[in-house]
Amino acid sequence: PVLTYVGEYSDEQVAAAIRRELLREGQVFYVHNRVSTIPGIANRLEELVPEARIAVAHGKLTEAQLEKVMLDFWDRKFDVLVSTTIIETGLDVPNANTLIVDRADKYGLSQLHQLRGRVGRSRDRAYAYFLYDRGHELSETAFERLKTISQNSDLGGGMAIAMKDLEIRGAGNLLGGEQAGHIRSE
């Protein structure tokens, strides 16, 4: 299971989480889902943990640039990959065992679960930090999502998360004519 923490963002905690992973010679995924502010986040992390080698990845990079960054991260040329949610699926990086998600209250439950699945793919203990802005009032829905993700980190927790997601968002019009269409009989 991935040790999961949900709480307010703090520079000290982020720096400590990155340093802990560096001490075990591991790597970190840092998810920030706004392309326009990713460079500033990467610079901030460089200030907090100057010894960390940091790379940036997002969907606005060319395919060749993105591939190079991802392969370099996989080859351990970088310690921290600051990226958008493009890491949700794709390259398996067994050495990356810490995930930090900035503004986690802005993500859907299934997306948080998918992101957490990026770590914990080796024998090393994995950590996931789902952080929200300090002093920011969480909506009831965001609170429920974060509570659910923190309580379901064991193997098989995906089903409980899916059921809670269905409860939070509702089933919608799954079986009605709008969704499934109509069959005309003659």
Side-chain angles (χ1 to χ4, degrees):
V2 178
L3 203 63
T4 302
Y5 171 82
V6 172
E8 289 185 339
Y9 176 92
S10 119
D11 281 343
E12 297 77 23
Q13 184 175 41
V14 167
I18 292 171
R19 284 198 172 100
R20 179 178 46 241
E21 197 57 51
L22 294 180
L23 284 171
R24 6 185 247 172
E25 298 181 0
Q27 293 169 284
V28 177
F29 285 119
Y30 188 102
V31 179
H32 177 81
N33 216 23
R34 297 202 57 191
V35 173
S36 61
T37 51
I38 273 189
I41 296 295
N43 290 338
R44 181 73 185 134
L45 294 177
E46 285 172 355
E47 289 171 12
L48 290 174
V49 191
E51 66 272 25
R53 298 166 301 162
I54 298 172
V56 170
H58 53 72
K60 299 269 190 210
L61 297 176
T62 66
E63 193 175 327
Q65 290 172 317
L66 187 56
E67 183 177 0
K68 179 168 178 18
V69 169
M70 295 305 290
L71 290 173
D72 285 349
F73 187 63
W74 194 79
D75 286 335
R76 301 176 73 169
K77 293 180 181 171
F78 300 108
D79 304 307
V80 179
L81 182 65
V82 181
S83 78
T84 57
T85 56
I86 59 168
I87 63 152
E88 256 184 319
T89 57
L91 196 62
D92 183 12
V93 185
N95 201 48
N97 284 301
T98 294
L99 167 74
I100 301 168
V101 180
D102 189 11
R103 307 282 314 266
D105 55 311
K106 301 293 183 195
Y107 298 84
L109 192 48
S110 58
Q111 195 169 34
L112 293 172
H113 181 62
Q114 187 76 25
L115 285 166
R116 183 170 56 191
R118 293 285 93 206
V119 296
R121 295 170 167 260
S122 72
R123 290 190 183 129
D124 294 331
R125 162 65 78 192
Y127 298 91
Y129 297 85
F130 295 109
L131 307 175
Y132 52 88
D133 285 350
R134 184 178 292 280
H136 178 75
E137 185 82 21
L138 292 180
S139 70
E140 188 177 330
T141 303
F143 175 80
E144 283 298 318
R145 285 193 302 253
L146 293 173
K147 181 176 152 194
T148 301
I149 201 75
S150 70
Q151 291 173 345
N152 294 282
S153 61
D154 291 340
L155 202 57
M159 185 62 177
I161 287 172
M163 294 305 290
K164 187 63 177 182
D165 195 31
L166 191 62
E167 181 186 315
I168 292 171
R169 293 193 300 161
N173 191 0
L174 196 59
L175 300 174
E178 291 172 39
Q179 187 68 26
H182 295 281
I183 298 174
R184 200 175 86 194
S185 63
E186 292 182 24

